């Protein structure tokens, strides 16, 4: 094998590695754990794929009816690792280590030129994680919570919490509320949202 | 130079290329034009960085007050190329060829287990683009619109339209409504949103 071929081989190996990292998960998008099994706070999720936003979404009936023009409740953004998003769109299922991150923003409406409607105001420092991983919970998915401490780690929230039973019962696909995520909903449920209300 | 060194050199060149594509824009994230100067419909923007969502945001006073519990108007998601997002966060300014894509979703509220609030329902096929590029408009930014035809191209919308004057006057930074985009707002305006309303 001459030097030119060896260079080509080197390039081929490196190219193969690059392709591999797109098919598998880049380490920066995978969950990391402490040696005690606590989930280390994910970073960089603002650049992941935002699969669905919502306002004031609640799984409990409200105590009182909202007043006319009242703020819509907090904005939620749901992020999924780019690698996992592509896996879902290609294979029609969630891969092990898929991880949803849910972030929160106060609704805001006062910055010019907005005269009507709401946008995402101040960020709430904490966020929640929903991780698909067999070894963390019998349901195959674990919930984790992170507060304002950016160095924090989280234990898996106890499997007795209502989030687990509600997700098991109500999720449209594999414990995940894909009914709320437009592109994933179209891919996994194969249908449009029938409940959209004209604005 | 022996074969091993040549392989290392080949790898270094390729690695350099990879680093380069992250600092400059990958072609897949750059605007593409027809030879007549029409913007070719961008693809893959659902995987770009979602910089801010809003509901019913309007720059005109509403004709009538919304009724209690009324749908909040359409969801808007604003996407920016990952390369441009990183440039903004690093340099504090928008690079040439930065491109915002605004998508639209009907508000929806009927899928279980949601009892309150709204999530993103059916996608509206079209979207709007706001492109920073000196050679398309004297303001330095051009607006484009795309409909349901996925093979479509768009002329730059005429500079006399209200969107240009409104963005020039009301944008908090360089013709872009960064006041509505949490992470970019924090970076470019150096402040929290003072107008958030408690939910």
């Amino acid at each position: 094998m001459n030097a030119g071929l060896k260079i080509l081989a080197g390039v081929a190996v490196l190219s193969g590695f690059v392709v591999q990292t797109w098919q598998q998960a880049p380490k920066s998008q995978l969950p990391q754990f402490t040696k005690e099994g606590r989930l280390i706070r994910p970073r960089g999720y603002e650049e992941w794929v935002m699969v669905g936003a919502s306002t004031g979404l609640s799984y409990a009936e409200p105590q009182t009816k909202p007043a006319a023009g009242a703020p819509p409740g907090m904005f939620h953004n749901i992020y999924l690792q780019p690698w996992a998003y592509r896996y879902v769109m290609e294979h029609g299922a969630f891969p092990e280590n898929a991880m949803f991150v849910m972030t929160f923003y106060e609704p805001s409406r006062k910055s010019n030129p907005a005269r009507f409607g709401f946008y995402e105001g101040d960020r709430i420092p904490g966020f929640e994680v929903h991780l698909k991983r067999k070894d963390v919970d019998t349901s195959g998915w674990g919930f984790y919570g992170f507060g304002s401490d950016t160095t924090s780690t989280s234990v898996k929230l106890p499997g007795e919490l209502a989030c687990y039973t509600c997700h098991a019962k109500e999720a449209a696909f594999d414990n995940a509320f894909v009914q709320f995520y437009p592109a994933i909903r179209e891919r996994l449920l194969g249908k449009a949202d029938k409940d959209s209300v004209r604005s």
Side-chain angles (χ1 to χ4, degrees), chain A:
Chain A
M1 193 157 147
N2 68 26
L5 274 179
K6 282 191 183 170
I7 291 175
L8 280 178
V11 169
V13 166
L14 195 61
S15 304
F17 171 76
V18 170
V19 170
Q20 190 77 348
T21 58
W22 284 112
Q23 291 177 340
Q24 294 185 2
K27 192 183 173 197
S28 63
Q29 295 177 28
L30 280 174
Q32 306 292 331
F33 296 88
T34 65
K35 61 181 191 291
E36 296 82 17
R38 297 173 67 95
L39 181 63
I40 295 173
R41 187 182 178 100
R43 297 187 185 282
Y45 52 81
E46 303 89 346
E47 297 185 23
W48 293 0
V49 178
M50 205 295 289
V51 296
S54 61
T55 54
L57 209 58
S58 169
Y59 311 143
E61 293 286 349
Q63 298 289 309
T64 54
K65 295 258 181 201
M74 278 200 289
F75 276 91
H76 300 175
N77 287 354
I78 314 287
Y79 299 88
L80 179 63
Q81 305 110 308
W83 146 79
Y85 177 82
R86 288 172 200 150
Y87 187 99
V88 170
M89 299 312 268
E90 186 174 343
H91 299 283
F94 291 99
E96 276 288 287
N97 292 312
M99 187 161 47
F100 289 105
V101 170
M102 179 158 70
T103 59
F104 307 87
Y105 306 83
E106 295 287 354
S108 187
R109 59 176 162 192
K110 293 193 185 153
S111 277
N112 277 337
R115 302 276 182 270
F116 188 65
F118 293 89
Y119 58 89
E120 294 181 335
D122 290 335
R123 288 199 276 189
I124 308 298
F127 58 89
E128 295 175 8
V129 170
H130 193 200
L131 167 65
K132 180 177 171 79
R133 197 162 151 129
K134 284 195 205 81
D135 61 2
V136 297
D137 189 83
T138 53
S139 68
W141 292 76
F143 287 93
Y144 300 81
F146 292 89
S148 57
D149 174 6
T150 58
T151 64
S152 63
T153 60
S154 171
V155 291
K156 190 209 70 167
L157 299 177
E160 296 74 31
L161 290 181
C163 41
Y164 290 89
T165 44
C166 181
H167 274 251
K169 180 179 171 207
E170 304 279 10
F173 192 97
D174 188 14
N175 287 274
F177 282 156
V178 303
Q179 58 264 50
F180 302 146
Y181 311 148
I184 292 181
R185 176 175 64 222
E186 289 173 20
R187 174 66 180 88
L188 294 181
L189 307 185
K191 63 177 186 183
D193 179 77
K194 297 299 181 205
D195 301 317
S196 292
V197 285
R198 284 280 145 191
S199 54

Tab-separated table of all heavy atoms in Angstrom, chain A residues 13 16 34 41-42 59 79 94 98 125 148 160 164 170 177 179 185 189 197:
chain	number	residue	atom	x	y	z
A	13	VAL	N	-11.351	6.140	6.931
A	13	VAL	CA	-11.631	5.771	8.323
A	13	VAL	C	-12.274	6.948	9.036
A	13	VAL	O	-13.289	6.816	9.727
A	13	VAL	CB	-10.329	5.346	9.049
A	13	VAL	CG1	-10.537	5.301	10.550
A	13	VAL	CG2	-9.864	4.002	8.522
A	16	GLY	N	-15.739	7.510	7.812
A	16	GLY	CA	-16.589	6.471	8.381
A	16	GLY	C	-16.970	6.814	9.803
A	16	GLY	O	-18.125	6.673	10.208
A	34	THR	N	-23.622	10.159	37.128
A	34	THR	CA	-22.581	10.062	38.157
A	34	THR	C	-22.412	8.580	38.482
A	34	THR	O	-23.246	7.750	38.091
A	34	THR	CB	-22.992	10.800	39.442
A	34	THR	OG1	-24.130	10.124	40.004
A	34	THR	CG2	-23.349	12.257	39.154
A	41	ARG	N	-26.855	17.021	34.745
A	41	ARG	CA	-27.653	18.047	34.042
A	41	ARG	C	-27.241	18.151	32.567
A	41	ARG	O	-26.087	18.467	32.255
A	41	ARG	CB	-27.419	19.377	34.743
A	41	ARG	CG	-28.279	20.533	34.280
A	41	ARG	CD	-27.865	21.798	35.050
A	41	ARG	NE	-28.604	22.957	34.620
A	41	ARG	CZ	-29.659	23.478	35.259
A	41	ARG	NH1	-30.080	22.933	36.379
A	41	ARG	NH2	-30.286	24.545	34.796
A	42	PRO	N	-28.167	17.893	31.655
A	42	PRO	CA	-27.822	18.009	30.221
A	42	PRO	C	-27.492	19.455	29.864
A	42	PRO	O	-28.032	20.390	30.461
A	42	PRO	CB	-29.106	17.567	29.501
A	42	PRO	CG	-29.943	16.895	30.530
A	42	PRO	CD	-29.561	17.476	31.850
A	59	TYR	N	-52.843	18.998	33.032
A	59	TYR	CA	-53.563	17.740	32.981
A	59	TYR	C	-54.632	17.663	34.066
A	59	TYR	O	-55.230	16.636	34.290
A	59	TYR	CB	-52.577	16.570	33.081
A	59	TYR	CG	-51.415	16.720	32.109
A	59	TYR	CD1	-50.137	16.333	32.454
A	59	TYR	CD2	-51.622	17.285	30.850
A	59	TYR	CE1	-49.076	16.491	31.559
A	59	TYR	CE2	-50.572	17.456	29.955
A	59	TYR	CZ	-49.304	17.047	30.319
A	59	TYR	OH	-48.263	17.214	29.439
A	79	TYR	N	-37.707	19.780	23.883
A	79	TYR	CA	-36.550	19.528	23.017
A	79	TYR	C	-36.202	18.042	23.015
A	79	TYR	O	-36.367	17.362	24.028
A	79	TYR	CB	-35.328	20.307	23.516
A	79	TYR	CG	-35.511	21.805	23.523
A	79	TYR	CD1	-36.060	22.463	24.617
A	79	TYR	CD2	-35.132	22.567	22.423
A	79	TYR	CE1	-36.230	23.846	24.625
A	79	TYR	CE2	-35.298	23.938	22.412
A	79	TYR	CZ	-35.848	24.578	23.517
A	79	TYR	OH	-36.012	25.950	23.509
A	94	PHE	N	-38.709	5.435	19.195
A	94	PHE	CA	-37.701	6.144	19.988
A	94	PHE	C	-36.531	5.220	20.308
A	94	PHE	O	-36.743	4.086	20.736
A	94	PHE	CB	-38.302	6.654	21.305
A	94	PHE	CG	-39.284	7.763	21.101
A	94	PHE	CD1	-40.646	7.503	21.102
A	94	PHE	CD2	-38.846	9.057	20.892
A	94	PHE	CE1	-41.569	8.525	20.889
A	94	PHE	CE2	-39.756	10.081	20.677
A	94	PHE	CZ	-41.119	9.813	20.675
A	98	ALA	N	-33.048	8.237	24.173
A	98	ALA	CA	-33.777	9.441	23.735
A	98	ALA	C	-34.138	10.231	24.987
A	98	ALA	O	-34.465	9.656	26.032
A	98	ALA	CB	-35.041	9.060	22.974
A	125	PRO	N	-35.440	28.969	35.535
A	125	PRO	CA	-34.122	28.311	35.496
A	125	PRO	C	-34.174	26.777	35.417
A	125	PRO	O	-33.300	26.168	34.830
A	125	PRO	CB	-33.467	28.750	36.815
A	125	PRO	CG	-34.229	29.963	37.239
A	125	PRO	CD	-35.629	29.793	36.732
A	148	SER	N	-32.281	25.540	39.628
A	148	SER	CA	-31.480	26.654	39.121
A	148	SER	C	-29.980	26.409	39.260
A	148	SER	O	-29.187	27.120	38.647
A	148	SER	CB	-31.870	27.940	39.842
A	148	SER	OG	-31.699	27.764	41.234
A	160	GLU	N	-43.574	5.924	41.616
A	160	GLU	CA	-44.951	6.004	42.131
A	160	GLU	C	-45.610	7.328	41.768
A	160	GLU	O	-46.814	7.507	41.985
A	160	GLU	CB	-44.970	5.850	43.665
A	160	GLU	CG	-44.500	4.490	44.174
A	160	GLU	CD	-42.993	4.299	44.062
A	160	GLU	OE1	-42.245	5.302	44.165
A	160	GLU	OE2	-42.559	3.158	43.836
A	164	TYR	N	-45.675	9.090	35.886
A	164	TYR	CA	-45.451	7.782	35.251
A	164	TYR	C	-46.769	7.130	34.824
A	164	TYR	O	-46.889	6.639	33.701
A	164	TYR	CB	-44.705	6.844	36.210
A	164	TYR	CG	-43.270	7.247	36.441
A	164	TYR	CD1	-42.939	8.121	37.466
A	164	TYR	CD2	-42.252	6.758	35.632
A	164	TYR	CE1	-41.631	8.512	37.680
A	164	TYR	CE2	-40.932	7.135	35.835
A	164	TYR	CZ	-40.619	8.011	36.859
A	164	TYR	OH	-39.322	8.393	37.064
A	170	GLU	N	-51.860	7.815	28.959
A	170	GLU	CA	-52.347	8.842	28.029
A	170	GLU	C	-51.439	9.096	26.825
A	170	GLU	O	-51.857	9.730	25.851
A	170	GLU	CB	-52.549	10.177	28.767
A	170	GLU	CG	-53.484	10.093	29.965
A	170	GLU	CD	-54.963	10.133	29.570
A	170	GLU	OE1	-55.260	10.033	28.353
A	170	GLU	OE2	-55.809	10.253	30.466
A	177	PHE	N	-45.755	11.965	24.949
A	177	PHE	CA	-46.940	12.721	24.532
A	177	PHE	C	-46.772	13.265	23.110
A	177	PHE	O	-46.855	14.473	22.869
A	177	PHE	CB	-47.210	13.854	25.514
A	177	PHE	CG	-47.877	13.407	26.788
A	177	PHE	CD1	-47.753	14.159	27.951
A	177	PHE	CD2	-48.626	12.241	26.834
A	177	PHE	CE1	-48.370	13.755	29.133
A	177	PHE	CE2	-49.243	11.820	28.015
A	177	PHE	CZ	-49.117	12.586	29.170
A	179	GLN	N	-48.733	13.257	20.827
A	179	GLN	CA	-49.921	13.950	20.309
A	179	GLN	C	-49.763	15.467	20.335
A	179	GLN	O	-50.510	16.171	19.659
A	179	GLN	CB	-51.189	13.512	21.079
A	179	GLN	CG	-51.176	13.745	22.586
A	179	GLN	CD	-50.748	12.515	23.374
A	179	GLN	OE1	-49.721	11.902	23.070
A	179	GLN	NE2	-51.502	12.162	24.398
A	185	ARG	N	-45.766	13.757	15.632
A	185	ARG	CA	-47.158	13.265	15.592
A	185	ARG	C	-47.504	12.775	14.192
A	185	ARG	O	-48.060	11.685	14.026
A	185	ARG	CB	-48.088	14.397	16.010
A	185	ARG	CG	-49.576	14.068	15.929
A	185	ARG	CD	-50.415	15.229	16.492
A	185	ARG	NE	-50.275	16.439	15.698
A	185	ARG	CZ	-50.151	17.678	16.215
A	185	ARG	NH1	-50.144	17.866	17.522
A	185	ARG	NH2	-50.027	18.707	15.418
A	189	LEU	N	-48.031	8.881	14.361
A	189	LEU	CA	-49.467	8.587	14.400
A	189	LEU	C	-50.062	8.587	13.001
A	189	LEU	O	-51.198	8.157	12.808
A	189	LEU	CB	-50.197	9.599	15.288
A	189	LEU	CG	-49.628	9.752	16.719
A	189	LEU	CD1	-50.510	10.684	17.539
A	189	LEU	CD2	-49.472	8.401	17.411
A	197	VAL	N	-58.228	24.032	16.765
A	197	VAL	CA	-59.344	24.976	16.770
A	197	VAL	C	-58.937	26.187	15.934
A	197	VAL	O	-57.826	26.661	16.017
A	197	VAL	CB	-59.698	25.400	18.207
A	197	VAL	CG1	-60.427	24.273	18.906
A	197	VAL	CG2	-58.472	25.818	18.992
